[in-house]
Every structure is written in C-alpha cells, then in structure tokens.
Amino acid sequence: MFEFSKKGPMADTQLTYASTIGGGSTIQGNFTHRGNMLLSGHLVGDIHQDEEASGSKEGYIAVVGKSGFLEGNIHSAHAIIIGRIEGSVYATGRVEIYPGAVVNGDVTYSQINVHPDAKVNGNLKCLLSDLSDHAIDELESEESRNNVLPMMKVDGH
C-alpha cells in the first residue's frame, strides 16, 4: 500500500491529511476525522471516521505516526500504525503495522500487513470469509472445464 525504505516507513509523509494532532500535544476525548488523519501526539480517546462525510465510502486512513501514542480504539476504513496503541483497531479495509510499532489490543481487518519487528499483543480477526464468492466461482468453473465429477461411494461394489 505504501513505500517502505531502509530509513523507515514513508506512509506518514506520502499522504495528505485533513487533520493532524501534532507531536508534543495531548488531547483527551474522542476524535472524529473527515479525510486522512495523522496522530503524532498523544490522544486519550477513540478515533472514528466520519461515515457521513463525502468520500467516506472510498475510505479514509487513520495514521498513528512514529511519535504517536493512542490510548483508545481506532474505527476507520484503513489504519497505518507506526507508533503505539493501547487499544484495538477496527478497519473495514487495510491495516499496516510497521517495524517498531506496538499494538496492545485486537486488530480487525479485511487486509493486513504486519512488518517484521512490529508487535501485536492481541487477537487478529479477518472480516473476509474463508472462501470468497469469487474463489468458489473459480473452483466451480474449473471443475466444469475439466469435466471432473465428485466421487461417490456405491454400496455393494
């Protein structure tokens, strides 16, 4: 999803942000974002994506930057964790957890990428079913292409 170099993740500098909580600041209370948001400071509360904002269907990204510390949960379409979270992440889309990041909570996602040296102390839960409809369609079409029929046991033979 985002470039990773030997110098570290570039995701927090490649995106444009509608909201930023700067380093050195502390905010207490829930935070609702419209557009991408960057947490470089300390937030005590939950992060929520505004579902009624224009563009929210495509999904916004909540980024916890390298110096960011969240004591709460993230509820957003996508999440990038570079810093530290004491809480859970619920993303309907993609979650990226970069080296050095610490998540002390559960992570719910549709796609996930946990980089080496990242720490997740909690459960991972994928929102996708084990076999998507697309995979089932592929299996069924492959069977009909090869004229393969399932084997059945016949009694007495």
Side-chain angles (χ1 to χ4, degrees), residues 62-140:
V63 179
V64 177
K66 189 172 185 172
S67 62
F69 178 39
L70 172 64
E71 291 183 83
N73 303 314
I74 294 178
H75 301 271
S76 190
H78 309 286
I80 299 173
I81 315 303
I82 306 168
R84 184 173 164 202
I85 297 179
E86 294 290 333
S88 296
V89 177
Y90 182 86
T92 56
R94 186 170 178 85
V95 175
E96 292 262 354
I97 304 173
Y98 282 96
V102 177
V103 177
N104 288 317
D106 298 338
V107 180
T108 303
Y109 59 92
S110 289
Q111 296 177 343
I112 191 167
N113 190 2
V114 180
H115 293 266
D117 298 326
K119 294 176 179 68
V120 178
N121 300 308
N123 296 311
L124 300 178
K125 181 181 180 192
C126 184
L127 294 172
L128 302 176
S129 64
D130 289 339
L131 274 180
S132 66
D133 292 336
H134 178 69
I136 291 170
D137 290 342
E138 281 185 21
L139 288 173
E140 289 174 353

Side-chain angles (χ1 to χ4, degrees), residues 2-23:
F2 301 99
E3 183 179 328
F4 182 77
S5 70
K6 291 181 181 179
K7 295 179 183 177
M10 302 299 291
D12 58 345
T13 59
Q14 288 179 337
L15 295 171
T16 55
Y17 299 101
S19 305
T20 301
I21 299 173

Side-chain angles (χ1 to χ4, degrees), residues 35-84:
N36 298 335
M37 67 89 56
L38 172 64
L39 172 62
S40 293
H42 183 186
L43 174 64
V44 180
D46 293 342
I47 295 174
H48 294 273
Q49 172 180 301
D50 184 352
E51 298 298 330
E52 296 179 14
S54 64
S56 66
K57 290 186 191 235
E58 290 81 34
Y60 298 131
I61 303 170
V63 179
V64 177
K66 189 172 185 172
S67 62
F69 178 39
L70 172 64
E71 291 183 83
N73 303 314
I74 294 178
H75 301 271
S76 190
H78 309 286
I80 299 173
I81 315 303
I82 306 168
R84 184 173 164 202

